[in-house]
Amino acid sequence: MKILVINAGSSSLKYQLMDPDSGEVFAKGQCERIGLDGKLTHRVPGKDNYAEEIAMPTHSEAIEAVLKILVDPQLGVISSTDEIDAVGHRVLHGGMEFTESCIIDDACIAAIERCIPLGPLHNPANLMGIRACQNVMPDKPQVAVFDTAFHMTMPPKAYMYALPYEYYEKDSVRRYGFHGTSHRYVTARAIEMMGKDPKELKIINCHLGNGSSLSAVVDGKCQDTSMGLSPLAGVPMGTRSGDIDPCVVQYLCNRYELSVDEMLNILNKKSGMAGMSGVSSDFRDLEEAAAAGNERAALALDKFAYEVRKYIGAYAAALGGLDVLVFTAGVGENSGQMRERICNGLEFLGVKLCPYRNKKRGEEAVISTDDSKVTVLLIPTNEELMIAKDTQALVQG
Ligand code: ADP
């Protein structure tokens, strides 16, 4: 089977054409500046990258450009779009409507629309990608895969906020969590790597990238996660604050005559590693600056490691123990330095990182010592493969 995986943003659209069984990626790329001028970047493994400026007034023209390049005699990888069996879409917020992936029909689209108030930035963009594919490929089956779905197994004590109950009942205000497709993928890989009954495994997943979240998992099912109603909650991130006292919002809004939206923009785009360090949101830049003596960069890295470590401690307590600690995503997969900072101080839980194994980057590996009570795993995430597999499973019924 060949599945086209689409991740549509408001002005961008990423794609991968892949085989869900082998995981082989035939081609991938992205359309940028949709609605402005339009640029397509296309990569085929083993060939030179290709970039072209193409007018893309809407997502439909972007999808048309993707299909055109996929069948191009020189740059393409298929002879006709008939070779694409189905399309899988990443959708940010499934609210309480979706506990798993679903075939896209009118009812599914209506439910994604009902979730727009919960995901006001992403869901409309995801819908634009879905509608563009429906326009351009009306006969292809399509599937929606939700960032929130994996976390829907959380018990009420984990997902409820201690607010007046009617906000949950009437307005669906609760913890949802994000990066679910990544947490689901690494959970499945961790269970396979451990070769044990999932019921026996208490797992904490650390998805540490530009956006970061942790999840606590037993029997392959999510019990708690660090992001909340929105992806702003949890540990500090590249540009997001993570958890803060809500009164900070009121205090700063009053002091600087900011609207709540302006303050939220600061919390989302100007805080986190970038805000604390004044250097960058990028962990490579921060590690370099800290090594060169920049104290605020060092502080930001210290704060990040401290908050991640605190969540690991909290989740070990929530699960009543810990068997497996997983690191994934850009920082988790690549920064041995950050993994070491985080694990430093977790010896009391039975975490013993092996300094030699921890030098590994971007490949599946056990990075704890043989006598570590907790197995620490490095697992590169693959959300696209998960989307392709869900799409295949649903399309094949
Ligand atoms: P996103 O949340 O946008 O998907 P990624 O998972 O791609 O983000 O992670 C991006 C982050 O990973 C960036 O902050 C980048 O600095 C960091 N990163 C990538 N490679 C390294 C590395 N070798 N060392 C430290 N950080 C790295």
mmCIF file with all atom_site columns, all heavy atoms in Angstrom, residues 187 190-204 216-221 319 321-324 375 377:
data_model
loop_
_atom_site.group_PDB
_atom_site.id
_atom_site.type_symbol
_atom_site.label_atom_id
_atom_site.label_alt_id
_atom_site.label_comp_id
_atom_site.label_asym_id
_atom_site.label_entity_id
_atom_site.label_seq_id
_atom_site.pdbx_PDB_ins_code
_atom_site.Cartn_x
_atom_site.Cartn_y
_atom_site.Cartn_z
_atom_site.occupancy
_atom_site.B_iso_or_equiv
_atom_site.pdbx_formal_charge
_atom_site.auth_seq_id
_atom_site.auth_comp_id
_atom_site.auth_asym_id
_atom_site.auth_atom_id
_atom_site.pdbx_PDB_model_num
ATOM 1   N N   . THR A 1 187 ? 5.442  4.251   22.804 1.00 0.00 ? 187 THR A N   1
ATOM 2   C CA  . THR A 1 187 ? 4.936  3.253   23.760 1.00 0.00 ? 187 THR A CA  1
ATOM 3   C C   . THR A 1 187 ? 4.957  1.867   23.111 1.00 0.00 ? 187 THR A C   1
ATOM 4   O O   . THR A 1 187 ? 5.448  0.891   23.713 1.00 0.00 ? 187 THR A O   1
ATOM 5   C CB  . THR A 1 187 ? 3.495  3.607   24.205 1.00 0.00 ? 187 THR A CB  1
ATOM 6   O OG1 . THR A 1 187 ? 3.521  4.845   24.915 1.00 0.00 ? 187 THR A OG1 1
ATOM 7   C CG2 . THR A 1 187 ? 2.905  2.533   25.097 1.00 0.00 ? 187 THR A CG2 1
ATOM 8   N N   . ALA A 1 190 ? 8.502  0.708   22.749 1.00 0.00 ? 190 ALA A N   1
ATOM 9   C CA  . ALA A 1 190 ? 9.105  0.372   24.050 1.00 0.00 ? 190 ALA A CA  1
ATOM 10  C C   . ALA A 1 190 ? 8.634  -1.005  24.500 1.00 0.00 ? 190 ALA A C   1
ATOM 11  O O   . ALA A 1 190 ? 9.436  -1.826  24.965 1.00 0.00 ? 190 ALA A O   1
ATOM 12  C CB  . ALA A 1 190 ? 8.750  1.435   25.089 1.00 0.00 ? 190 ALA A CB  1
ATOM 13  N N   . ILE A 1 191 ? 7.331  -1.269  24.344 1.00 0.00 ? 191 ILE A N   1
ATOM 14  C CA  . ILE A 1 191 ? 6.783  -2.574  24.753 1.00 0.00 ? 191 ILE A CA  1
ATOM 15  C C   . ILE A 1 191 ? 7.460  -3.679  23.937 1.00 0.00 ? 191 ILE A C   1
ATOM 16  O O   . ILE A 1 191 ? 7.857  -4.714  24.484 1.00 0.00 ? 191 ILE A O   1
ATOM 17  C CB  . ILE A 1 191 ? 5.243  -2.596  24.577 1.00 0.00 ? 191 ILE A CB  1
ATOM 18  C CG1 . ILE A 1 191 ? 4.597  -1.668  25.622 1.00 0.00 ? 191 ILE A CG1 1
ATOM 19  C CG2 . ILE A 1 191 ? 4.682  -4.009  24.675 1.00 0.00 ? 191 ILE A CG2 1
ATOM 20  C CD1 . ILE A 1 191 ? 3.121  -1.391  25.401 1.00 0.00 ? 191 ILE A CD1 1
ATOM 21  N N   . GLU A 1 192 ? 7.626  -3.418  22.632 1.00 0.00 ? 192 GLU A N   1
ATOM 22  C CA  . GLU A 1 192 ? 8.268  -4.419  21.776 1.00 0.00 ? 192 GLU A CA  1
ATOM 23  C C   . GLU A 1 192 ? 9.738  -4.620  22.173 1.00 0.00 ? 192 GLU A C   1
ATOM 24  O O   . GLU A 1 192 ? 10.214 -5.746  22.278 1.00 0.00 ? 192 GLU A O   1
ATOM 25  C CB  . GLU A 1 192 ? 8.177  -3.951  20.327 1.00 0.00 ? 192 GLU A CB  1
ATOM 26  C CG  . GLU A 1 192 ? 8.077  -5.097  19.352 1.00 0.00 ? 192 GLU A CG  1
ATOM 27  C CD  . GLU A 1 192 ? 7.425  -4.642  18.056 1.00 0.00 ? 192 GLU A CD  1
ATOM 28  O OE1 . GLU A 1 192 ? 6.227  -4.317  18.075 1.00 0.00 ? 192 GLU A OE1 1
ATOM 29  O OE2 . GLU A 1 192 ? 8.150  -4.581  17.068 1.00 0.00 ? 192 GLU A OE2 1
ATOM 30  N N   . MET A 1 193 ? 10.446 -3.508  22.428 1.00 0.00 ? 193 MET A N   1
ATOM 31  C CA  . MET A 1 193 ? 11.862 -3.620  22.791 1.00 0.00 ? 193 MET A CA  1
ATOM 32  C C   . MET A 1 193 ? 12.042 -4.348  24.122 1.00 0.00 ? 193 MET A C   1
ATOM 33  O O   . MET A 1 193 ? 13.021 -5.065  24.327 1.00 0.00 ? 193 MET A O   1
ATOM 34  C CB  . MET A 1 193 ? 12.511 -2.224  22.864 1.00 0.00 ? 193 MET A CB  1
ATOM 35  C CG  . MET A 1 193 ? 12.742 -1.594  21.490 1.00 0.00 ? 193 MET A CG  1
ATOM 36  S SD  . MET A 1 193 ? 13.158 0.166   21.599 1.00 0.00 ? 193 MET A SD  1
ATOM 37  C CE  . MET A 1 193 ? 14.898 0.106   22.010 1.00 0.00 ? 193 MET A CE  1
ATOM 38  N N   . MET A 1 194 ? 11.093 -4.165  25.047 1.00 0.00 ? 194 MET A N   1
ATOM 39  C CA  . MET A 1 194 ? 11.214 -4.809  26.365 1.00 0.00 ? 194 MET A CA  1
ATOM 40  C C   . MET A 1 194 ? 10.837 -6.284  26.290 1.00 0.00 ? 194 MET A C   1
ATOM 41  O O   . MET A 1 194 ? 11.258 -7.075  27.141 1.00 0.00 ? 194 MET A O   1
ATOM 42  C CB  . MET A 1 194 ? 10.316 -4.102  27.386 1.00 0.00 ? 194 MET A CB  1
ATOM 43  C CG  . MET A 1 194 ? 10.696 -2.661  27.697 1.00 0.00 ? 194 MET A CG  1
ATOM 44  S SD  . MET A 1 194 ? 12.356 -2.478  28.373 1.00 0.00 ? 194 MET A SD  1
ATOM 45  C CE  . MET A 1 194 ? 12.152 -3.176  30.009 1.00 0.00 ? 194 MET A CE  1
ATOM 46  N N   . GLY A 1 195 ? 10.006 -6.638  25.291 1.00 0.00 ? 195 GLY A N   1
ATOM 47  C CA  . GLY A 1 195 ? 9.591  -8.032  25.128 1.00 0.00 ? 195 GLY A CA  1
ATOM 48  C C   . GLY A 1 195 ? 8.834  -8.578  26.322 1.00 0.00 ? 195 GLY A C   1
ATOM 49  O O   . GLY A 1 195 ? 8.977  -9.750  26.671 1.00 0.00 ? 195 GLY A O   1
ATOM 50  N N   . LYS A 1 196 ? 8.059  -7.710  26.958 1.00 0.00 ? 196 LYS A N   1
ATOM 51  C CA  . LYS A 1 196 ? 7.320  -8.141  28.156 1.00 0.00 ? 196 LYS A CA  1
ATOM 52  C C   . LYS A 1 196 ? 5.824  -7.891  27.966 1.00 0.00 ? 196 LYS A C   1
ATOM 53  O O   . LYS A 1 196 ? 5.420  -7.131  27.075 1.00 0.00 ? 196 LYS A O   1
ATOM 54  C CB  . LYS A 1 196 ? 7.788  -7.336  29.369 1.00 0.00 ? 196 LYS A CB  1
ATOM 55  C CG  . LYS A 1 196 ? 9.104  -7.793  29.923 1.00 0.00 ? 196 LYS A CG  1
ATOM 56  C CD  . LYS A 1 196 ? 9.270  -7.248  31.327 1.00 0.00 ? 196 LYS A CD  1
ATOM 57  C CE  . LYS A 1 196 ? 10.616 -7.652  31.892 1.00 0.00 ? 196 LYS A CE  1
ATOM 58  N NZ  . LYS A 1 196 ? 11.043 -6.773  32.954 1.00 0.00 ? 196 LYS A NZ  1
ATOM 59  N N   . ASP A 1 197 ? 5.021  -8.462  28.847 1.00 0.00 ? 197 ASP A N   1
ATOM 60  C CA  . ASP A 1 197 ? 3.589  -8.193  28.855 1.00 0.00 ? 197 ASP A CA  1
ATOM 61  C C   . ASP A 1 197 ? 3.391  -6.708  29.189 1.00 0.00 ? 197 ASP A C   1
ATOM 62  O O   . ASP A 1 197 ? 3.891  -6.243  30.220 1.00 0.00 ? 197 ASP A O   1
ATOM 63  C CB  . ASP A 1 197 ? 2.951  -9.079  29.941 1.00 0.00 ? 197 ASP A CB  1
ATOM 64  C CG  . ASP A 1 197 ? 1.445  -8.897  30.020 1.00 0.00 ? 197 ASP A CG  1
ATOM 65  O OD1 . ASP A 1 197 ? 0.924  -7.952  29.400 1.00 0.00 ? 197 ASP A OD1 1
ATOM 66  O OD2 . ASP A 1 197 ? 0.797  -9.707  30.714 1.00 0.00 ? 197 ASP A OD2 1
ATOM 67  N N   . PRO A 1 198 ? 2.660  -5.967  28.339 1.00 0.00 ? 198 PRO A N   1
ATOM 68  C CA  . PRO A 1 198 ? 2.488  -4.526  28.607 1.00 0.00 ? 198 PRO A CA  1
ATOM 69  C C   . PRO A 1 198 ? 1.891  -4.235  29.982 1.00 0.00 ? 198 PRO A C   1
ATOM 70  O O   . PRO A 1 198 ? 2.153  -3.183  30.563 1.00 0.00 ? 198 PRO A O   1
ATOM 71  C CB  . PRO A 1 198 ? 1.553  -4.044  27.491 1.00 0.00 ? 198 PRO A CB  1
ATOM 72  C CG  . PRO A 1 198 ? 1.223  -5.215  26.636 1.00 0.00 ? 198 PRO A CG  1
ATOM 73  C CD  . PRO A 1 198 ? 2.047  -6.382  27.076 1.00 0.00 ? 198 PRO A CD  1
ATOM 74  N N   . LYS A 1 199 ? 1.118  -5.189  30.523 1.00 0.00 ? 199 LYS A N   1
ATOM 75  C CA  . LYS A 1 199 ? 0.507  -4.974  31.859 1.00 0.00 ? 199 LYS A CA  1
ATOM 76  C C   . LYS A 1 199 ? 1.580  -4.808  32.932 1.00 0.00 ? 199 LYS A C   1
ATOM 77  O O   . LYS A 1 199 ? 1.356  -4.201  33.970 1.00 0.00 ? 199 LYS A O   1
ATOM 78  C CB  . LYS A 1 199 ? -0.368 -6.177  32.228 1.00 0.00 ? 199 LYS A CB  1
ATOM 79  C CG  . LYS A 1 199 ? -1.681 -6.216  31.469 1.00 0.00 ? 199 LYS A CG  1
ATOM 80  C CD  . LYS A 1 199 ? -2.644 -7.215  32.123 1.00 0.00 ? 199 LYS A CD  1
ATOM 81  C CE  . LYS A 1 199 ? -4.010 -7.201  31.479 1.00 0.00 ? 199 LYS A CE  1
ATOM 82  N NZ  . LYS A 1 199 ? -3.998 -7.510  30.037 1.00 0.00 ? 199 LYS A NZ  1
ATOM 83  N N   . GLU A 1 200 ? 2.761  -5.390  32.670 1.00 0.00 ? 200 GLU A N   1
ATOM 84  C CA  . GLU A 1 200 ? 3.838  -5.337  33.670 1.00 0.00 ? 200 GLU A CA  1
ATOM 85  C C   . GLU A 1 200 ? 4.706  -4.091  33.526 1.00 0.00 ? 200 GLU A C   1
ATOM 86  O O   . GLU A 1 200 ? 5.661  -3.922  34.275 1.00 0.00 ? 200 GLU A O   1
ATOM 87  C CB  . GLU A 1 200 ? 4.754  -6.558  33.507 1.00 0.00 ? 200 GLU A CB  1
ATOM 88  C CG  . GLU A 1 200 ? 4.109  -7.852  33.922 1.00 0.00 ? 200 GLU A CG  1
ATOM 89  C CD  . GLU A 1 200 ? 4.952  -9.045  33.500 1.00 0.00 ? 200 GLU A CD  1
ATOM 90  O OE1 . GLU A 1 200 ? 6.158  -8.881  33.236 1.00 0.00 ? 200 GLU A OE1 1
ATOM 91  O OE2 . GLU A 1 200 ? 4.365  -10.132 33.408 1.00 0.00 ? 200 GLU A OE2 1
ATOM 92  N N   . LEU A 1 201 ? 4.399  -3.255  32.542 1.00 0.00 ? 201 LEU A N   1
ATOM 93  C CA  . LEU A 1 201 ? 5.309  -2.138  32.261 1.00 0.00 ? 201 LEU A CA  1
ATOM 94  C C   . LEU A 1 201 ? 4.718  -0.783  32.627 1.00 0.00 ? 201 LEU A C   1
ATOM 95  O O   . LEU A 1 201 ? 3.690  -0.366  32.081 1.00 0.00 ? 201 LEU A O   1
ATOM 96  C CB  . LEU A 1 201 ? 5.706  -2.148  30.776 1.00 0.00 ? 201 LEU A CB  1
ATOM 97  C CG  . LEU A 1 201 ? 6.582  -3.320  30.317 1.00 0.00 ? 201 LEU A CG  1
ATOM 98  C CD1 . LEU A 1 201 ? 6.810  -3.244  28.821 1.00 0.00 ? 201 LEU A CD1 1
ATOM 99  C CD2 . LEU A 1 201 ? 7.911  -3.338  31.069 1.00 0.00 ? 201 LEU A CD2 1
ATOM 100 N N   . LYS A 1 202 ? 5.399  -0.119  33.569 1.00 0.00 ? 202 LYS A N   1
ATOM 101 C CA  . LYS A 1 202 ? 5.077  1.271   33.898 1.00 0.00 ? 202 LYS A CA  1
ATOM 102 C C   . LYS A 1 202 ? 6.071  2.140   33.132 1.00 0.00 ? 202 LYS A C   1
ATOM 103 O O   . LYS A 1 202 ? 7.284  2.061   33.373 1.00 0.00 ? 202 LYS A O   1
ATOM 104 C CB  . LYS A 1 202 ? 5.193  1.505   35.400 1.00 0.00 ? 202 LYS A CB  1
ATOM 105 C CG  . LYS A 1 202 ? 4.116  0.750   36.167 1.00 0.00 ? 202 LYS A CG  1
ATOM 106 C CD  . LYS A 1 202 ? 4.324  0.780   37.657 1.00 0.00 ? 202 LYS A CD  1
ATOM 107 C CE  . LYS A 1 202 ? 3.151  0.090   38.339 1.00 0.00 ? 202 LYS A CE  1
ATOM 108 N NZ  . LYS A 1 202 ? 3.485  -0.378  39.684 1.00 0.00 ? 202 LYS A NZ  1
ATOM 109 N N   . ILE A 1 203 ? 5.547  2.920   32.199 1.00 0.00 ? 203 ILE A N   1
ATOM 110 C CA  . ILE A 1 203 ? 6.415  3.654   31.271 1.00 0.00 ? 203 ILE A CA  1
ATOM 111 C C   . ILE A 1 203 ? 6.197  5.164   31.425 1.00 0.00 ? 203 ILE A C   1
ATOM 112 O O   . ILE A 1 203 ? 5.059  5.612   31.544 1.00 0.00 ? 203 ILE A O   1
ATOM 113 C CB  . ILE A 1 203 ? 6.092  3.272   29.798 1.00 0.00 ? 203 ILE A CB  1
ATOM 114 C CG1 . ILE A 1 203 ? 6.186  1.748   29.604 1.00 0.00 ? 203 ILE A CG1 1
ATOM 115 C CG2 . ILE A 1 203 ? 6.993  4.001   28.820 1.00 0.00 ? 203 ILE A CG2 1
ATOM 116 C CD1 . ILE A 1 203 ? 5.769  1.270   28.206 1.00 0.00 ? 203 ILE A CD1 1
ATOM 117 N N   . ILE A 1 204 ? 7.286  5.922   31.412 1.00 0.00 ? 204 ILE A N   1
ATOM 118 C CA  . ILE A 1 204 ? 7.173  7.380   31.286 1.00 0.00 ? 204 ILE A CA  1
ATOM 119 C C   . ILE A 1 204 ? 7.848  7.776   29.983 1.00 0.00 ? 204 ILE A C   1
ATOM 120 O O   . ILE A 1 204 ? 9.015  7.457   29.753 1.00 0.00 ? 204 ILE A O   1
ATOM 121 C CB  . ILE A 1 204 ? 7.809  8.120   32.483 1.00 0.00 ? 204 ILE A CB  1
ATOM 122 C CG1 . ILE A 1 204 ? 7.052  7.764   33.773 1.00 0.00 ? 204 ILE A CG1 1
ATOM 123 C CG2 . ILE A 1 204 ? 7.768  9.637   32.256 1.00 0.00 ? 204 ILE A CG2 1
ATOM 124 C CD1 . ILE A 1 204 ? 7.627  8.398   35.029 1.00 0.00 ? 204 ILE A CD1 1
ATOM 125 N N   . ALA A 1 216 ? 2.485  9.311   31.189 1.00 0.00 ? 216 ALA A N   1
ATOM 126 C CA  . ALA A 1 216 ? 2.632  8.171   32.102 1.00 0.00 ? 216 ALA A CA  1
ATOM 127 C C   . ALA A 1 216 ? 1.719  7.067   31.595 1.00 0.00 ? 216 ALA A C   1
ATOM 128 O O   . ALA A 1 216 ? 0.528  7.302   31.374 1.00 0.00 ? 216 ALA A O   1
ATOM 129 C CB  . ALA A 1 216 ? 2.231  8.590   33.517 1.00 0.00 ? 216 ALA A CB  1
ATOM 130 N N   . VAL A 1 217 ? 2.292  5.875   31.393 1.00 0.00 ? 217 VAL A N   1
ATOM 131 C CA  . VAL A 1 217 ? 1.573  4.811   30.687 1.00 0.00 ? 217 VAL A CA  1
ATOM 132 C C   . VAL A 1 217 ? 1.673  3.482   31.450 1.00 0.00 ? 217 VAL A C   1
ATOM 133 O O   . VAL A 1 217 ? 2.752  3.121   31.919 1.00 0.00 ? 217 VAL A O   1
ATOM 134 C CB  . VAL A 1 217 ? 2.192  4.641   29.269 1.00 0.00 ? 217 VAL A CB  1
ATOM 135 C CG1 . VAL A 1 217 ? 1.601  3.443   28.542 1.00 0.00 ? 217 VAL A CG1 1
ATOM 136 C CG2 . VAL A 1 217 ? 2.013  5.919   28.437 1.00 0.00 ? 217 VAL A CG2 1
ATOM 137 N N   . VAL A 1 218 ? 0.553  2.794   31.579 1.00 0.00 ? 218 VAL A N   1
ATOM 138 C CA  . VAL A 1 218 ? 0.558  1.413   32.086 1.00 0.00 ? 218 VAL A CA  1
ATOM 139 C C   . VAL A 1 218 ? -0.279 0.569   31.137 1.00 0.00 ? 218 VAL A C   1
ATOM 140 O O   . VAL A 1 218 ? -1.326 1.034   30.660 1.00 0.00 ? 218 VAL A O   1
ATOM 141 C CB  . VAL A 1 218 ? -0.064 1.306   33.505 1.00 0.00 ? 218 VAL A CB  1
ATOM 142 C CG1 . VAL A 1 218 ? -0.036 -0.147  33.974 1.00 0.00 ? 218 VAL A CG1 1
ATOM 143 C CG2 . VAL A 1 218 ? 0.670  2.153   34.498 1.00 0.00 ? 218 VAL A CG2 1
ATOM 144 N N   . ASP A 1 219 ? 0.152  -0.655  30.892 1.00 0.00 ? 219 ASP A N   1
ATOM 145 C CA  . ASP A 1 219 ? -0.565 -1.560  29.992 1.00 0.00 ? 219 ASP A CA  1
ATOM 146 C C   . ASP A 1 219 ? -0.784 -0.887  28.623 1.00 0.00 ? 219 ASP A C   1
ATOM 147 O O   . ASP A 1 219 ? -1.829 -1.058  27.998 1.00 0.00 ? 219 ASP A O   1
ATOM 148 C CB  . ASP A 1 219 ? -1.914 -1.964  30.628 1.00 0.00 ? 219 ASP A CB  1
ATOM 149 C CG  . ASP A 1 219 ? -2.561 -3.126  29.895 1.00 0.00 ? 219 ASP A CG  1
ATOM 150 O OD1 . ASP A 1 219 ? -1.865 -3.765  29.067 1.00 0.00 ? 219 ASP A OD1 1
ATOM 151 O OD2 . ASP A 1 219 ? -3.749 -3.381  30.124 1.00 0.00 ? 219 ASP A OD2 1
ATOM 152 N N   . GLY A 1 220 ? 0.180  -0.097  28.204 1.00 0.00 ? 220 GLY A N   1
ATOM 153 C CA  . GLY A 1 220 ? 0.102  0.571   26.905 1.00 0.00 ? 220 GLY A CA  1
ATOM 154 C C   . GLY A 1 220 ? -0.901 1.711   26.857 1.00 0.00 ? 220 GLY A C   1
ATOM 155 O O   . GLY A 1 220 ? -1.120 2.296   25.797 1.00 0.00 ? 220 GLY A O   1
ATOM 156 N N   . LYS A 1 221 ? -1.525 2.025   28.008 1.00 0.00 ? 221 LYS A N   1
ATOM 157 C CA  . LYS A 1 221 ? -2.571 3.065   27.996 1.00 0.00 ? 221 LYS A CA  1
ATOM 158 C C   . LYS A 1 221 ? -2.147 4.277   28.824 1.00 0.00 ? 221 LYS A C   1
ATOM 159 O O   . LYS A 1 221 ? -1.634 4.138   29.934 1.00 0.00 ? 221 LYS A O   1
ATOM 160 C CB  . LYS A 1 221 ? -3.874 2.508   28.563 1.00 0.00 ? 221 LYS A CB  1
ATOM 161 C CG  . LYS A 1 221 ? -4.444 1.393   27.713 1.00 0.00 ? 221 LYS A CG  1
ATOM 162 C CD  . LYS A 1 221 ? -5.812 0.971   28.242 1.00 0.00 ? 221 LYS A CD  1
ATOM 163 C CE  . LYS A 1 221 ? -6.329 -0.227  27.482 1.00 0.00 ? 221 LYS A CE  1
ATOM 164 N NZ  . LYS A 1 221 ? -5.617 -1.476  27.838 1.00 0.00 ? 221 LYS A NZ  1
ATOM 165 N N   . LEU A 1 319 ? 2.170  6.449   39.073 1.00 0.00 ? 319 LEU A N   1
ATOM 166 C CA  . LEU A 1 319 ? 2.090  5.061   38.588 1.00 0.00 ? 319 LEU A CA  1
ATOM 167 C C   . LEU A 1 319 ? 2.435  4.053   39.689 1.00 0.00 ? 319 LEU A C   1
ATOM 168 O O   . LEU A 1 319 ? 2.229  2.863   39.526 1.00 0.00 ? 319 LEU A O   1
ATOM 169 C CB  . LEU A 1 319 ? 3.069  4.843   37.419 1.00 0.00 ? 319 LEU A CB  1
ATOM 170 C CG  . LEU A 1 319 ? 2.819  5.621   36.124 1.00 0.00 ? 319 LEU A CG  1
ATOM 171 C CD1 . LEU A 1 319 ? 3.944  5.352   35.125 1.00 0.00 ? 319 LEU A CD1 1
ATOM 172 C CD2 . LEU A 1 319 ? 1.478  5.254   35.506 1.00 0.00 ? 319 LEU A CD2 1
ATOM 173 N N   . GLY A 1 321 ? 5.536  3.454   40.679 1.00 0.00 ? 321 GLY A N   1
ATOM 174 C CA  . GLY A 1 321 ? 6.779  2.783   40.271 1.00 0.00 ? 321 GLY A CA  1
ATOM 175 C C   . GLY A 1 321 ? 7.132  3.139   38.846 1.00 0.00 ? 321 GLY A C   1
ATOM 176 O O   . GLY A 1 321 ? 6.392  3.876   38.178 1.00 0.00 ? 321 GLY A O   1
ATOM 177 N N   . LEU A 1 322 ? 8.289  2.655   38.411 1.00 0.00 ? 322 LEU A N   1
ATOM 178 C CA  . LEU A 1 322 ? 8.730  2.963   37.051 1.00 0.00 ? 322 LEU A CA  1
ATOM 179 C C   . LEU A 1 322 ? 9.604  1.833   36.527 1.00 0.00 ? 322 LEU A C   1
ATOM 180 O O   . LEU A 1 322 ? 10.524 1.386   37.212 1.00 0.00 ? 322 LEU A O   1
ATOM 181 C CB  . LEU A 1 322 ? 9.526  4.289   37.061 1.00 0.00 ? 322 LEU A CB  1
ATOM 182 C CG  . LEU A 1 322 ? 10.106 4.743   35.734 1.00 0.00 ? 322 LEU A CG  1
ATOM 183 C CD1 . LEU A 1 322 ? 9.022  4.998   34.713 1.00 0.00 ? 322 LEU A CD1 1
ATOM 184 C CD2 . LEU A 1 322 ? 10.930 6.030   35.928 1.00 0.00 ? 322 LEU A CD2 1
ATOM 185 N N   . ASP A 1 323 ? 9.277  1.348   35.325 1.00 0.00 ? 323 ASP A N   1
ATOM 186 C CA  . ASP A 1 323 ? 10.087 0.298   34.686 1.00 0.00 ? 323 ASP A CA  1
ATOM 187 C C   . ASP A 1 323 ? 10.872 0.835   33.499 1.00 0.00 ? 323 ASP A C   1
ATOM 188 O O   . ASP A 1 323 ? 11.992 0.394   33.260 1.00 0.00 ? 323 ASP A O   1
ATOM 189 C CB  . ASP A 1 323 ? 9.186  -0.851  34.213 1.00 0.00 ? 323 ASP A CB  1
ATOM 190 C CG  . ASP A 1 323 ? 8.388  -1.450  35.352 1.00 0.00 ? 323 ASP A CG  1
ATOM 191 O OD1 . ASP A 1 323 ? 9.023  -1.930  36.304 1.00 0.00 ? 323 ASP A OD1 1
ATOM 192 O OD2 . ASP A 1 323 ? 7.140  -1.398  35.318 1.00 0.00 ? 323 ASP A OD2 1
ATOM 193 N N   . VAL A 1 324 ? 10.246 1.743   32.734 1.00 0.00 ? 324 VAL A N   1
ATOM 194 C CA  . VAL A 1 324 ? 10.873 2.192   31.493 1.00 0.00 ? 324 VAL A CA  1
ATOM 195 C C   . VAL A 1 324 ? 10.751 3.709   31.368 1.00 0.00 ? 324 VAL A C   1
ATOM 196 O O   . VAL A 1 324 ? 9.677  4.279   31.572 1.00 0.00 ? 324 VAL A O   1
ATOM 197 C CB  . VAL A 1 324 ? 10.182 1.545   30.255 1.00 0.00 ? 324 VAL A CB  1
ATOM 198 C CG1 . VAL A 1 324 ? 10.923 1.912   28.979 1.00 0.00 ? 324 VAL A CG1 1
ATOM 199 C CG2 . VAL A 1 324 ? 10.084 0.040   30.393 1.00 0.00 ? 324 VAL A CG2 1
ATOM 200 N N   . THR A 1 375 ? 14.789 0.688   32.853 1.00 0.00 ? 375 THR A N   1
ATOM 201 C CA  . THR A 1 375 ? 15.428 0.656   31.540 1.00 0.00 ? 375 THR A CA  1
ATOM 202 C C   . THR A 1 375 ? 15.174 1.999   30.851 1.00 0.00 ? 375 THR A C   1
ATOM 203 O O   . THR A 1 375 ? 14.025 2.415   30.710 1.00 0.00 ? 375 THR A O   1
ATOM 204 C CB  . THR A 1 375 ? 14.836 -0.482  30.673 1.00 0.00 ? 375 THR A CB  1
ATOM 205 O OG1 . THR A 1 375 ? 14.944 -1.694  31.404 1.00 0.00 ? 375 THR A OG1 1
ATOM 206 C CG2 . THR A 1 375 ? 15.569 -0.608  29.356 1.00 0.00 ? 375 THR A CG2 1
ATOM 207 N N   . LEU A 1 377 ? 15.294 4.102   27.489 1.00 0.00 ? 377 LEU A N   1
ATOM 208 C CA  . LEU A 1 377 ? 15.318 3.829   26.052 1.00 0.00 ? 377 LEU A CA  1
ATOM 209 C C   . LEU A 1 377 ? 15.377 5.117   25.244 1.00 0.00 ? 377 LEU A C   1
ATOM 210 O O   . LEU A 1 377 ? 14.731 6.118   25.598 1.00 0.00 ? 377 LEU A O   1
ATOM 211 C CB  . LEU A 1 377 ? 14.059 3.061   25.636 1.00 0.00 ? 377 LEU A CB  1
ATOM 212 C CG  . LEU A 1 377 ? 13.839 1.681   26.246 1.00 0.00 ? 377 LEU A CG  1
ATOM 213 C CD1 . LEU A 1 377 ? 12.490 1.120   25.789 1.00 0.00 ? 377 LEU A CD1 1
ATOM 214 C CD2 . LEU A 1 377 ? 14.962 0.729   25.854 1.00 0.00 ? 377 LEU A CD2 1
#
